[in-house]
Amino acid sequence: MNTQPDARNIHALQAELLVDVLSTQKALFINGISEYALIELLKKAPYKLFDEDALRDPLMLFKTHFILFHALYQLKQYWIEQNEGVLEIHALGIKLNNFDESVPAHSNDEQAVTALQNHDALAEYYLDWGNFEETDRKTVDTLLNAFWQRMSGGCNSRHDQEDISTSHTVLGLSEGEPVTLVQLKHVYKRRLQSAHPDKGGTQQEAQSVIHAYQVLSRYYSSK
């Protein structure tokens, strides 16, 4: 049975994985990083969430930028809710600030909470997938299909088979009992919750869980 998600949902999957990956990189954002440097990082192993040509074509660059900023604004809201700080998001610099650095000194507690919870115009723009889909459909399909090919690439080599076995172990799954993508995602989220640095785990443990999910997503999607 083909369980591959359609193109309409692939960009949402990519953004969701981005949020999971970026949420383990708190130290990176405390120090601050540019959008360009962050995209370059996410193009490389072990992430490989963007194509090598993600920054070459103007329209492809826009799509990459939109997906990344969508994930960053989701992450910003998550960190506010977790009292971790406020993620300042700009192309030239993305930085996690303390609350007192992001709220005017004269604000009272109620004003501060309101200011942090309200979406600004840019957040509303990037969190609306309709704005992503308004651009050229052919280019959108090219981007999403390229992402899916990375997620569902062949798994026939001995190295890939070993990776599949290891990934089952990391997520606590049995290779002899196939799971649906919905079940896989549920197991992944539960494992990531305990492995996440914010929940007592480590960045390395969280990345292992994320990688295992990527491997098994493409494995079970090809079934």
Side-chain angles (χ1 to χ4, degrees):
M1 180 177 65
N2 183 9
T3 55
Q4 176 174 327
D6 59 40
R8 292 172 300 174
N9 297 322
I10 293 175
H11 53 276
L13 170 63
Q14 185 176 14
E16 185 174 351
L17 283 171
L18 271 170
V19 174
D20 289 340
V21 169
L22 296 177
S23 68
T24 70
Q25 303 288 330
K26 191 182 300 180
L28 190 71
F29 293 113
I30 290 175
N31 293 327
I33 187 171
S34 70
E35 178 186 13
Y36 175 82
L38 184 56
I39 291 173
E40 287 295 312
L41 174 67
L42 295 169
K43 284 163 54 178
K44 301 174 183 177
Y47 313 111
K48 295 186 177 180
L49 287 169
F50 291 121
D51 282 331
E52 282 299 318
D53 61 353
L55 300 177
R56 296 175 186 171
D57 175 78
L59 196 48
M60 185 70 79
L61 171 59
F62 169 76
K63 299 297 184 181
T64 301
H65 164 80
F66 189 99
I67 291 171
L68 177 61
F69 269 46
H70 176 93
L72 287 170
Y73 276 108
Q74 284 192 323
L75 182 61
K76 177 178 182 176
Q77 188 61 34
Y78 170 75
W79 273 340
I80 288 175
E81 293 170 355
Q82 298 297 314
N83 294 316
E84 296 290 346
V86 180
L87 190 64
E88 297 296 335
I89 304 169
H90 306 284
L92 296 179
I94 304 161
K95 192 174 188 301
L96 180 62
N97 294 324
N98 295 326
F99 286 108
D100 56 5
E101 296 178 279
S102 302
V103 178
H106 62 273
S107 300
N108 58 38
D109 290 344
E110 183 176 350
Q111 290 172 328
V113 171
T114 300
L116 292 174
Q117 289 182 338
N118 285 342
H119 287 307
D120 59 28
L122 282 177
E124 292 177 357
Y125 174 80
Y126 285 110
L127 291 171
D128 183 355
W129 283 116
N131 294 316
F132 178 88
E133 294 166 352
E134 281 179 358
T135 51
D136 181 71
R137 171 53 55 187
K138 183 176 181 180
T139 304
V140 173
D141 289 341
T142 298
L143 173 67
L144 300 184
N145 288 338
F147 173 70
W148 176 249
Q149 287 173 8
R150 293 198 304 279
M151 289 295 293
S152 60
C155 300
N156 297 321
S157 70
R158 185 170 65 87
H159 171 75
D160 285 333
Q161 291 298 334
E162 291 175 354
D163 211 7
I164 290 168
S165 296
T166 300
S167 296
H168 277 92
T169 301
V170 169
L171 295 183
L173 296 170
S174 171
E175 286 189 72
E177 299 178 4
V179 297
T180 66
L181 291 178
V182 172
Q183 292 170 327
L184 177 63
K185 184 176 180 180
H186 178 74
V187 171
Y188 158 67
K189 288 296 186 182
R190 188 173 66 245
R191 287 281 178 170
L192 185 61
Q193 181 76 8
S194 60
H196 200 283
D198 291 345
K199 304 298 182 181
T202 67
Q203 183 175 328
Q204 183 176 4
E205 289 171 342
Q207 184 53 50
S208 294
V209 171
I210 293 169
H211 176 70
Y213 176 61
Q214 290 177 293
V215 169
L216 295 185
S217 289
R218 66 177 182 244
Y219 175 68
Y220 283 111
S221 294
S222 65
K223 293 294 186 179

